[in-house]
Amino acid sequence: MTRPMCILVTGGAGYIGSHTVLQLLLNGYSTVVVDNLDNSSEVAISRVRELAGDRGRNLSFHKMDIRDKPALEQLFASTKFDAVIHFAGLKAVGESVQKPLMYYNNNIVGTITLLEVMAAYGCKKLVFSSSATVYGWPKELPCTEEFPLSAANPYGRTKLMIEEMCRDVYASDPEWKFVLLRYFNPVGAHPSGRIGEDPHGIPNNLMPFIQHVAVGRQPALKVFGTDYSTKDGTGVRDYIHVVDLADGHTAALAKLSDPKIGCEVYNLGTGKGTSVLEMVSAFEKASGKKIPLIKTARRPGDAEIVYASTTKAERELNWKAKYGIEEMCRDQWNWASRNPYGYQTEAKKLGA
Ligand code: NAD
Ligand code: UD1
């Protein structure tokens, strides 16, 4: 019997990571997660195991910081990885402006350490979590992978630099294979309601904030800007169901086996733009909850309209998002209503 392919998933306890690990297990991969639990909970790992049934035994977890080189080396010395999916990183834009060095240290030093250890152990296949943030305020739409790149804040600069680092590493050694995935706006949760997004502190992004309002953790949603040149004056984004996004990673892994691939970049989005007010109304419909709104000024650094061209991913990864806004809101609410305090809900119920 051939052994299942073994994938190292950095940041695999986090929001996108946990959904991806589940899809990998269900697709027959064996996965090793390393995560320092800085923005996540080990409960996510046990729930992924539970959802994967028998295949849950193919998941192992190490609480580890990817900047801890000796620990990472030890792991590579004991396990042969076929590829790495690299989610681990800090992602709050506002915080990155306040604490740029923390972001450069975590995201850049973390990635350099990972690439060095991978090279030393001869594992040269990586899928990296980049972001649509590298398109800045796009001059044309939809965003294609060839658009000029820019970054408006330290978080965005870390994504851009890591992309450039991967291109440089590939140029220096064509044995490497990289798939850089530019995510648009991941939302929703696994339909089981067992895993979902559980940000520590007050959420910065739209859907987690709406979720907190719906369960009474925040009084109202501030709508950042109602004077954009869009259908209803509010910002437009390309929201993508996190399970579709997770499936995009299995497609990316398959692509890494293509002998012709070097360092390639793909958008993962739906190609559809939805405004803030449309998203609020879809969520209200799915949840039966009223979301009180406070209309405020634009958030500095926000683009007006961002959505993806999906042509390249459809053509070369053979992947296409299946879910629409209704399913995203249904699954977001299913998760939020069952876990109003995220992975802390059980502890809260017990009065901890
Ligand atoms: P997340 O915070 O839920 O997951 C990231 C995980 O990485 C967390 O579990 C955290 O504990 C872990 N981590 C952070 N630094 C680490 C380190 N030094 N060592 C080990 N573990 C570490 O975030 P997410 O939404 O799942 O995002 C995953 C990746 O996708 C990130 O790189 C993020 O920048 C990128 N991304 C996210 C979005 C989004 O909207 N969620 C959009 C575009 C790109
Ligand atoms: C944010 C990040 C971006 C990252 C992306 C990934 C910022 C400035 N940018 O972008 O770097 O790649 O997430 O998902 O944080 N909105 C409100 N009220 C809120 C929150 C958001 O009206 O409380 C609006 C925003 O103005 C925007 C839309 O909702 O029009 C989506 O916002 P958000 O979820 O933060 O995503 P992005 O702005 O795309």
Side-chain angles (χ1 to χ4, degrees):
M1 217 172 76
T2 53
R3 88 176 166 95
M5 275 173 78
C6 183
I7 312 298
L8 174 65
V9 185
T10 75
Y15 172 47
I16 306 171
S18 55
H19 289 80
T20 302
V21 169
L22 176 59
Q23 297 309 103
L24 292 178
L25 292 169
L26 296 176
N27 280 285
Y29 290 94
S30 149
T31 57
V32 175
V33 168
V34 295
D35 197 303
N36 63 4
L37 302 181
D38 183 74
N39 195 37
S40 51
S41 161
E42 204 174 334
V43 178
I45 296 289
S46 30
R47 293 199 182 170
V48 167
R49 260 197 207 106
E50 156 207 309
L51 291 169
D54 280 354
R55 294 185 168 178
R57 75 172 89 90
N58 293 333
L59 164 60
S60 65
F61 173 68
H62 301 266
K63 183 170 187 288
M64 186 192 293
D65 193 299
I66 54 164
R67 289 164 296 177
D68 182 347
K69 200 170 186 180
L72 208 51
E73 282 171 337
Q74 217 178 3
L75 185 64
F76 273 81
S78 64
T79 315
K80 184 175 166 3
F81 295 112
D82 294 289
V84 177
I85 304 183
H86 179 31
F87 294 106
L90 299 174
K91 62 164 185 177
V93 172
E95 186 184 52
S96 81
V97 175
Q98 303 300 320
K99 300 176 181 171
L101 294 180
M102 186 168 100
Y103 272 67
Y104 290 124
N105 190 310
N106 195 78
N107 295 5
I108 305 282
V109 175
T111 305
I112 293 174
T113 309
L114 176 67
L115 293 176
E116 283 175 348
V117 176
M118 287 175 68
Y121 286 85
C123 172
K124 296 186 179 176
K125 288 182 179 173
L126 184 89
V127 177
F128 172 63
S129 304
S130 188
S131 164
T133 195
V134 299
Y135 295 123
W137 183 310
K139 291 200 176 57
E140 284 172 66
L141 290 159
C143 300
T144 70
E145 287 82 352
E146 292 74 37
F147 272 19
L149 304 179
S150 67
N153 50 64
Y155 164 73
R157 267 186 280 284
T158 67
K159 292 293 170 197
L160 206 49
M161 278 184 212
I162 294 169
E163 281 203 9
E164 299 293 12
M165 242 157 58
C166 294
R167 287 186 267 273
D168 287 340
V169 169
Y170 171 66
S172 74
D173 174 0
E175 273 184 21
W176 277 92
K177 290 177 188 292
F178 290 100
V179 173
L180 313 177
L181 298 175
R182 292 184 184 145
Y183 310 152
F184 281 67
N185 292 61
V187 299
H190 190 264
S192 65
R194 296 293 286 159
I195 54 172
E197 185 164 16
D198 180 23
H200 291 178
I202 300 171
N204 303 294
N205 299 116
L206 181 66
M207 283 309 273
F209 203 98
I210 292 180
Q211 171 181 318
H212 276 206
V213 175
V215 299
R217 292 173 69 178
Q218 293 291 335
L221 171 75
K222 286 192 189 125
V223 178
F224 296 145
T226 50
D227 59 346
Y228 286 111
S229 303
T230 58
K231 37 196 155 187
D232 56 25
T234 64
V236 167
R237 296 290 183 274
D238 184 339
Y239 297 95
I240 173 167
H241 196 297
V242 66
V243 174
D244 273 332
L245 192 71
D247 284 335
H249 292 74
T250 39
L253 277 182
K255 189 74 189 166
L256 284 176
S257 306
D258 178 345
K260 291 192 292 294
I261 192 192
C263 182
E264 275 301 334
V265 52
Y266 297 98
N267 288 337
L268 294 186
T270 63
K272 295 187 184 72
T274 305
S275 74
V276 174
L277 295 183
E278 285 174 331
M279 210 58 189
V280 169
S281 128
F283 187 86
E284 287 183 334
K285 205 166 152 205
S287 64
K289 295 273 174 187
K290 184 88 197 127
I291 304 297
L293 302 179
I294 301 171
K295 294 181 177 173
T296 63
R298 295 178 180 196
R299 181 170 64 180
D302 266 2
E304 186 164 76
I305 309 179
V306 185
Y307 59 89
S309 160
T310 57
T311 315
K312 188 177 176 197
E314 280 174 34
R315 192 181 58 227
E316 296 183 20
L317 295 181
N318 203 15
W319 168 91
K320 189 174 170 17
K322 293 193 287 285
Y323 298 112
I325 298 298
E326 273 166 36
E327 287 105 340
M328 297 179 210
C329 290
R330 177 199 67 197
D331 294 337
Q332 184 100 27
W333 174 240
N334 187 34
W335 154 253
S337 55
R338 287 163 185 254
N339 306 273
Y341 286 84
Y343 294 113
Q344 298 302 311
T345 301
E346 301 295 322
K348 288 243 180 221
K349 277 190 201 150
L350 296 170

mmCIF file of all heavy atoms in Angstrom, residues 4 43 73 75 99 145 158 236 270 273 287 298 320 336:
data_model
loop_
_atom_site.group_PDB
_atom_site.id
_atom_site.type_symbol
_atom_site.label_atom_id
_atom_site.label_comp_id
_atom_site.label_asym_id
_atom_site.label_seq_id
_atom_site.Cartn_x
_atom_site.Cartn_y
_atom_site.Cartn_z
ATOM 1 N N PRO A 4 -0.038 7.670 2.399
ATOM 2 C CA PRO A 4 -0.692 8.905 1.958
ATOM 3 C C PRO A 4 0.318 10.041 1.923
ATOM 4 O O PRO A 4 1.306 10.019 2.668
ATOM 5 C CB PRO A 4 -1.761 9.152 3.026
ATOM 6 C CG PRO A 4 -1.389 8.332 4.199
ATOM 7 C CD PRO A 4 -0.498 7.214 3.710
ATOM 8 N N VAL A 43 -8.879 23.520 20.492
ATOM 9 C CA VAL A 43 -10.212 22.903 20.334
ATOM 10 C C VAL A 43 -10.519 22.728 18.843
ATOM 11 O O VAL A 43 -11.145 21.744 18.431
ATOM 12 C CB VAL A 43 -11.315 23.767 21.017
ATOM 13 C CG1 VAL A 43 -12.691 23.164 20.803
ATOM 14 C CG2 VAL A 43 -11.019 23.954 22.500
ATOM 15 N N GLU A 73 13.380 22.047 12.780
ATOM 16 C CA GLU A 73 14.360 21.089 12.230
ATOM 17 C C GLU A 73 14.110 19.685 12.769
ATOM 18 O O GLU A 73 14.162 18.701 12.022
ATOM 19 C CB GLU A 73 15.786 21.538 12.578
ATOM 20 C CG GLU A 73 16.255 22.662 11.674
ATOM 21 C CD GLU A 73 17.578 23.274 12.130
ATOM 22 O OE1 GLU A 73 17.927 23.165 13.325
ATOM 23 O OE2 GLU A 73 18.251 23.865 11.276
ATOM 24 N N LEU A 75 11.326 18.480 13.725
ATOM 25 C CA LEU A 75 10.118 17.947 13.088
ATOM 26 C C LEU A 75 10.438 17.421 11.683
ATOM 27 O O LEU A 75 10.015 16.321 11.301
ATOM 28 C CB LEU A 75 9.058 19.065 13.019
ATOM 29 C CG LEU A 75 7.692 18.666 12.499
ATOM 30 C CD1 LEU A 75 7.038 17.664 13.440
ATOM 31 C CD2 LEU A 75 6.789 19.913 12.392
ATOM 32 N N LYS A 99 2.217 48.079 15.204
ATOM 33 C CA LYS A 99 3.348 47.242 15.618
ATOM 34 C C LYS A 99 4.034 46.614 14.399
ATOM 35 O O LYS A 99 4.033 45.376 14.237
ATOM 36 C CB LYS A 99 2.852 46.121 16.545
ATOM 37 C CG LYS A 99 2.179 46.632 17.809
ATOM 38 C CD LYS A 99 1.630 45.482 18.620
ATOM 39 C CE LYS A 99 0.943 45.986 19.867
ATOM 40 N NZ LYS A 99 0.208 44.943 20.579
ATOM 41 N N GLU A 145 -4.209 38.288 -12.180
ATOM 42 C CA GLU A 145 -2.940 38.004 -11.510
ATOM 43 C C GLU A 145 -1.798 38.860 -12.044
ATOM 44 O O GLU A 145 -0.764 38.998 -11.383
ATOM 45 C CB GLU A 145 -2.583 36.516 -11.663
ATOM 46 C CG GLU A 145 -3.430 35.568 -10.814
ATOM 47 C CD GLU A 145 -4.779 35.205 -11.410
ATOM 48 O OE1 GLU A 145 -5.169 35.798 -12.440
ATOM 49 O OE2 GLU A 145 -5.474 34.335 -10.844
ATOM 50 N N THR A 158 4.184 42.628 4.135
ATOM 51 C CA THR A 158 4.743 41.289 4.426
ATOM 52 C C THR A 158 4.284 40.298 3.351
ATOM 53 O O THR A 158 5.051 39.454 2.916
ATOM 54 C CB THR A 158 4.373 40.755 5.835
ATOM 55 O OG1 THR A 158 2.968 40.497 5.923
ATOM 56 C CG2 THR A 158 4.815 41.679 6.944
ATOM 57 N N VAL A 236 -17.471 47.367 -1.980
ATOM 58 C CA VAL A 236 -17.806 46.085 -2.625
ATOM 59 C C VAL A 236 -16.597 45.148 -2.571
ATOM 60 O O VAL A 236 -15.468 45.549 -2.865
ATOM 61 C CB VAL A 236 -18.252 46.323 -4.087
ATOM 62 C CG1 VAL A 236 -18.306 45.023 -4.878
ATOM 63 C CG2 VAL A 236 -19.615 47.006 -4.117
ATOM 64 N N THR A 270 -14.648 34.473 -6.036
ATOM 65 C CA THR A 270 -15.798 33.972 -6.807
ATOM 66 C C THR A 270 -15.987 34.759 -8.098
ATOM 67 O O THR A 270 -16.752 34.356 -8.966
ATOM 68 C CB THR A 270 -17.112 34.125 -6.004
ATOM 69 O OG1 THR A 270 -17.333 35.535 -5.779
ATOM 70 C CG2 THR A 270 -17.036 33.398 -4.681
ATOM 71 N N GLY A 273 -18.958 40.670 -6.980
ATOM 72 C CA GLY A 273 -18.820 41.731 -5.979
ATOM 73 C C GLY A 273 -20.110 41.899 -5.190
ATOM 74 O O GLY A 273 -21.200 41.902 -5.769
ATOM 75 N N SER A 287 -30.231 34.700 9.365
ATOM 76 C CA SER A 287 -30.222 34.538 10.833
ATOM 77 C C SER A 287 -31.536 34.932 11.488
ATOM 78 O O SER A 287 -31.784 34.567 12.640
ATOM 79 C CB SER A 287 -29.108 35.405 11.429
ATOM 80 O OG SER A 287 -29.373 36.773 11.192
ATOM 81 N N ARG A 298 -15.425 56.666 5.753
ATOM 82 C CA ARG A 298 -14.622 55.591 5.143
ATOM 83 C C ARG A 298 -13.493 55.182 6.084
ATOM 84 O O ARG A 298 -12.953 56.037 6.806
ATOM 85 C CB ARG A 298 -13.992 56.088 3.842
ATOM 86 C CG ARG A 298 -14.996 56.406 2.766
ATOM 87 C CD ARG A 298 -14.275 56.928 1.541
ATOM 88 N NE ARG A 298 -15.225 57.238 0.475
ATOM 89 C CZ ARG A 298 -14.888 57.426 -0.803
ATOM 90 N NH1 ARG A 298 -13.615 57.369 -1.167
ATOM 91 N NH2 ARG A 298 -15.804 57.689 -1.705
ATOM 92 N N LYS A 320 -13.193 25.922 -8.950
ATOM 93 C CA LYS A 320 -14.143 27.032 -9.065
ATOM 94 C C LYS A 320 -14.985 27.050 -7.783
ATOM 95 O O LYS A 320 -15.390 25.982 -7.301
ATOM 96 C CB LYS A 320 -15.045 26.766 -10.272
ATOM 97 C CG LYS A 320 -15.958 27.901 -10.687
ATOM 98 C CD LYS A 320 -16.651 27.472 -11.990
ATOM 99 C CE LYS A 320 -17.775 28.289 -12.503
ATOM 100 N NZ LYS A 320 -18.091 29.572 -12.153
ATOM 101 N N ALA A 336 -21.994 30.724 14.425
ATOM 102 C CA ALA A 336 -22.074 31.780 15.452
ATOM 103 C C ALA A 336 -23.139 31.445 16.486
ATOM 104 O O ALA A 336 -22.926 31.621 17.695
ATOM 105 C CB ALA A 336 -22.385 33.120 14.798
#
